Each structure stands twice: as C-alpha cells, then as structure tokens.
Amino acid sequence: MPETQVLRAYRFALDPTDADRAELARYAGACRWAYNYALAKKTESHRAWAARRAVYLDAGLSEAEAKSRIKADGAGLTERIKVWDHHRKSLMTTTPGKPPVAMFRPPAGQEVLARRLAAARAEAVATGRESQLLAEARTSVNSLKAEAFSAGFRTPSAMDTSALWRMDRDRSKEEGGSPWWGEVNVYCFTSGFDRAQVAWKNWLESFSGRRAGRCAGYPRFKKKGRAAESFALFHDVNRPIIRLDGYRRLVMPGLGSIRIHNTGKPLARLVDRGQAVIQSVTVTRGGHRWYASVLAKVQQDVPLLWEHIDEDGTRTPYPTRAQADKAAERVGRVKQIGRPTARQRTGGPVGVDLGSRYIALSSPLRPGDPTSTLVEHPRPLTGHTAKLTKTQRALARTAKGSRRRAKHTARLARVNHQIAVRRASFLHGVSKKLATGFTHVAIEDLDLTALTASAWGAPGKPGKNVEAKARFNRHLLDAGLGELRRQLAYKTVWYGSQLVVLDKAQPTADTCGKCGERNPSSAPSHTGSYCPSCGGVLHRHENSTANIVHAARRQLTPVASDTGETLNARRASVSPGARTGSGQGALKREDTG
C-alpha cells in the first residue's frame, strides 16, 4: 500500500487544575489582545486610505484615478522602505554559512541612499558592528513602515504587525503597550496576529467577489466573555517542546505538563516509531472544558494515490487526482498508484441524499443490513430543547454584571457544548464509514444559506407557512450537513476513496431513477415518486439516491472516450452512425420505424 505524508489533528480533552485553568485563560486573553492590536493597526491604515480616496473623489476624480493617485503619493516612501529592507536583509546574511541575498537594483531616485547603506555595511563588517547596525536598520524599517501605515499607503501584514508590536510592547497599558508580555509565551501574540490577517483577507476577498460563500463582514474586535477563548503554540520540530509525557499528559511551552482526559496512546506510539512529527497545538475552550488539538505530520498508508511522472522520470505523489492533473498541465503524465480496498470495491459508488431527518444512501452503510440505507439524524438540539429553554429563561432573569448571571451563562454554554459534541460525534462516525466503505461518495452541492433563509418576508408582503419553514430550518441546521461535507472532503483523501460533488441544479428529486424521464409535477414533499412514463413507483429517498449515482457517473465519465461511446443526457448510448447536420453540429438519429 502506498505511503504519503498527511497533516492530522489529534484532539484531546484537557483535565487541568485550577492553576492550569487560570494560566490557559491568560494565554487566551493574550491572543485576543494581539488580535485586537493587529486589527486596530489595519483599521487605522484603512481609514487613512479611505480619507485620502474621499478627498480625490470629491475633487472629481474617478475611483481608478483616485487609487492611482494614492499609489503615486506613497511611491517615494515605499521605495525607501525597499532600500532599507534590503539593507536589513543583507546585514542578517553576514553570518558565515548563510547564503547571500539576491541581486538588488535600487529604485530610481534611491541610488544615493543605497550606496550610503552599502558603505555603512562594509564598514560595519570591517569593524565588527554588524549587530549594532542591524538593530538600527530594523528600527529604521519599522519607523518607515509605521509612517506608511498611518498615512494609508500600505496595510500592515501579520509580520509587519509583529514588528510594530515589538516596538510598542514595553510601553505602558495607557500608551497601547503590553508590559506583561513576558508572562506568556510569545506565540500567543503571533497566533493573534495571524488570525487578524486571515479575517482581514477574508473580508477583502469577499468584498471583491473572489471568495465564495456568504459575504464576510468587516472584521470586528473581540470582547472578553463573548469571543471564543483560543490560542496556538508552535515549536522547533528539531528541538520539540510540544510532546506527550506518557499517555495521559501533554507538555506545552510555557504551560508545562497538563493532564489530558482521554489517552494519547495513538499519537505517542506514532511519534515513538518516527511516523509522526508534532507541528503545533491549538488550545480552545468549549463550554466547561479545555481542548488541545495537536497538529502532526503523519506518515500514513493510503490505498490510492496519484503520481505525476515528469519527463525526466521524477515521480511526485499526490493525494488527489485534481492535484496531479494540475501538476501535469505543462509536462508529464499522471498514473494511479494502488487501488481502493476490498471493502471499498465491494461497496462501489454510493449516492448520499442529505436531508433534515435522514441521510439516505443508495447502498447499505453496514454490509448485509438493508435497513442502514436510511440513517436518522440524532437531532441533539431537539433532545435538549427543554433543558436549553429552561437555562435561557433563568439567564434572562438575572442582572447584567452579577455573579448569578455569570453562573447561568456558564450553564448555558455547557448545554450548547454538549449539543455540539453529540452532533460532531455522530457526523464523524458517518463520514468515516462512508469514506472507508465505498469507492466514490456522491453528494449534492446544496446551498444551505438559501435553504435556511427566513420565511418572514417583508412588512408589506408577509411570508407563508412561517412556523413550518422555521421548524424546517431548525432541523436542517441541527443536522450539520455542511460539516458532514467538510469531513468527507478530507477523509476520502485519507482512506483512498473519492468525493464527487454534483453540479448545482441537478434534477435528482423530479427525475425517475429507472427510466430517466423528468416529472416536474413531482413534489419533494411526497413520500413516493411515481413516473408516468414507465409506471415505476419508488420511495423518494431511493429515487433521489439512484439519480445522484447516475449523475456522479456521468460527471466522472469523460466527454470524449477512447473505450466506446459515451452516454447522452438520458443515459442512452449515442448512435455510432449518427450524422451531423450541415452547420448545426448536432447529432441526428435516423428513424428506424
């Protein structure tokens, strides 16, 4: 069986002491403070840029002209930053054994500054003052970048924010500093800067239309007590600090050894055998518990891989066919390594109809058990409705800022966490069985945002069946169908199967699963599906899953096949003797009478 490297996260429930909980909360607070610090810097720069743009727009310039003028205004400062940054990088590579920096051509107008800095470097190397000059260069670069940020010419990245923070961290709290930064691990701040960068990138890409899905709003500051408590820690893999101490304790930098609630034997044995290397750990609070998600690079046996073979014979394995095809776009070819397991080959492809009450399958989830074609959702939210309502009502009767309110808030968080844990446990079990039991898992591309839209309507045009639609939305969101698709996306890669996501608007509900004829009058709410063409009667779930499998096979079959004729839209063979009409390019079948 072929072997490849995959990134896997091992999640452990921590069992900390009271002192450990206080320290974990302090680390999470440092990460939240760093996120707000980075977001404040980005917001300040963006507002300065918006103010400059507004001035040019009021002067009668167009949007493109205003942006071009702002870029021209900051060109001089940007070019000085490039020269100083090259000076800093050159000083960092004066240490013996480090490769020199690439050839640098100073921008027009900055030749004098570049020559002066080069002379200063040569003098520092001769006198042994490289470290002192490097510190001065870092200060100059950061000062120039801060000037560009405040003027709106640039938006600070995560690395820029980290450099600015190192200049401000020793200041007092009133001046925007964090004099307590030495009490926690520095990676708490780094993870906060990275998360602010991701939030800012999501907003920009969503605003410009480059990001799919729901529109991401402008990033907001995190408030203690409302934002999720989380932080990430890293280490040098050559000198690991994050490790398992036995099977029941986890060692993290700055936090020491903390007991874990479950066992860490699977990960510990992989590390001992040299099959896993721990990369980082992310600690998150969920309800009344703290969890540690240990990310490791694992050498794992995968039944099916795709290998890109270059012209020179270089072989590069990829976990998915799409990645291998992308590598072979210019040169080389793609070859399949291995094959699905015997269990997967027995199961074959499976169509999965994602519903609010059942997960319907075209083949039994458990071999030999025909009743396992319908997997009922546990509906954890419905089972906890009474307890959740009671807890929310008790919380509503408390005064803001009181100790009693804090107690009931913790109770409500605990109930919601129990609901989330039970839902995740069910989805993980189903997704693993699908990924390990079938060669292909075909699902529909559902637009859950549109499906769960409110039916209240507008004041002048009220909606219909509001209560029924609200109940349907609640059950659909309780099923966690989006999370199931996310889990299938990576588990199918791990276990050698393939996920097939059908194109949108596939007529799986109103098409006969036997003859392929469409019946637009067939309502999805009906239990049975009757076909007026062939007279077939199928259960609604059975009909949908059959159509999903047929659509997946058409999607996997190439349009032009060298092994025979492809199928048309009705799954009928295209006639080999079909003639093409002049100027039409359409296939015409001869009337055989």
Side-chain angles (χ1 to χ4, degrees), residues 12-15 247-250 258-264:
F12 304 111
L14 300 179
D15 191 9
Y247 296 152
R248 299 301 296 270
R249 302 193 72 87
L250 179 64
I258 298 180
R259 182 178 172 83
I260 59 178
H261 190 73
N262 44 349
T263 178

Side-chain angles (χ1 to χ4, degrees), residues 322-572:
Q323 295 175 353
D325 289 340
K326 186 176 181 181
E329 285 180 353
R330 296 183 178 180
V331 66
R333 58 189 178 89
V334 176
K335 179 182 178 182
Q336 178 179 332
I337 306 176
R339 61 174 183 169
T341 62
R343 180 182 175 186
Q344 291 172 336
R345 296 195 302 272
T346 302
V350 61
V352 183
D353 183 23
L354 304 177
S356 61
R357 185 175 181 181
Y358 296 103
I359 298 178
L361 310 176
S362 59
S363 301
L365 188 63
R366 296 184 296 272
D369 185 5
T371 62
S372 60
T373 55
L374 289 181
V375 182
E376 187 174 4
H377 289 288
R379 292 189 177 181
L381 179 61
T382 304
H384 288 76
T385 300
K387 188 175 183 180
L388 195 62
T389 303
K390 181 178 179 181
T391 308
Q392 289 174 333
R393 287 177 177 173
L395 176 65
R397 300 189 188 100
T398 59
K400 291 185 178 180
S402 63
R403 295 179 61 184
R404 185 166 170 263
R405 187 178 185 85
K407 181 177 69 175
H408 285 286
T409 301
R411 288 181 179 177
L412 180 61
R414 183 167 184 164
V415 175
N416 284 317
H417 178 62
Q418 290 174 349
I419 295 173
V421 167
R422 295 187 180 184
R423 182 185 298 114
S425 177
F426 167 75
L427 294 177
H428 275 294
V430 173
S431 60
K432 184 173 181 180
K433 289 180 180 178
L434 288 172
T436 58
F438 304 93
T439 57
H440 297 80
V441 182
I443 61 174
E444 296 179 276
D445 189 7
L446 299 178
D447 188 355
L448 295 177
T449 303
L451 286 175
T452 57
S454 176
W456 280 101
K461 189 179 180 181
K464 300 179 181 179
N465 299 325
V466 176
E467 294 185 3
K469 184 63 167 64
R471 184 166 56 253
F472 169 76
N473 291 351
R474 184 167 58 251
H475 291 328
L476 196 62
L477 293 173
D478 190 19
L481 303 182
E483 175 65 15
L484 178 61
R485 173 175 171 175
R486 187 192 71 86
Q487 292 180 11
L488 286 173
Y490 68 86
K491 288 186 179 180
T492 50
V493 176
W494 285 357
Y495 299 115
S497 54
Q498 297 183 49
L499 176 65
V500 182
V501 181
L502 303 184
D503 299 332
K504 288 187 176 181
Q506 285 283 349
T508 58
D510 56 358
T511 302
C512 178
K514 290 185 176 180
C515 66
E517 291 289 337
R518 293 195 60 183
N519 182 17
S521 62
S522 177
S525 59
H526 294 170
T527 304
S529 175
Y530 170 73
C531 178
S533 299
C534 65
V537 178
L538 293 175
H539 192 274
R540 176 170 59 91
H541 295 303
E542 183 181 354
N543 184 72
S544 297
T545 54
N547 287 324
I548 290 174
V549 172
H550 293 326
R553 285 174 175 166
R554 291 196 304 268
Q555 189 166 320
L556 290 172
T557 303
V559 176
S561 173
D562 58 353
T563 59
E565 290 296 325
T566 57
L567 303 180
N568 61 13
R570 297 186 178 182
R571 295 187 296 279

Side-chain angles (χ1 to χ4, degrees), residues 33 42 55 113 135 144 199 232 278 280 294 322 360 362 452 515 530 590:
W33 184 94
K42 294 177 181 294
V55 171
L113 176 60
L144 289 173
I278 296 177
S280 64
V294 181
S362 59
T452 57
C515 66
Y530 170 73
E590 297 182 359

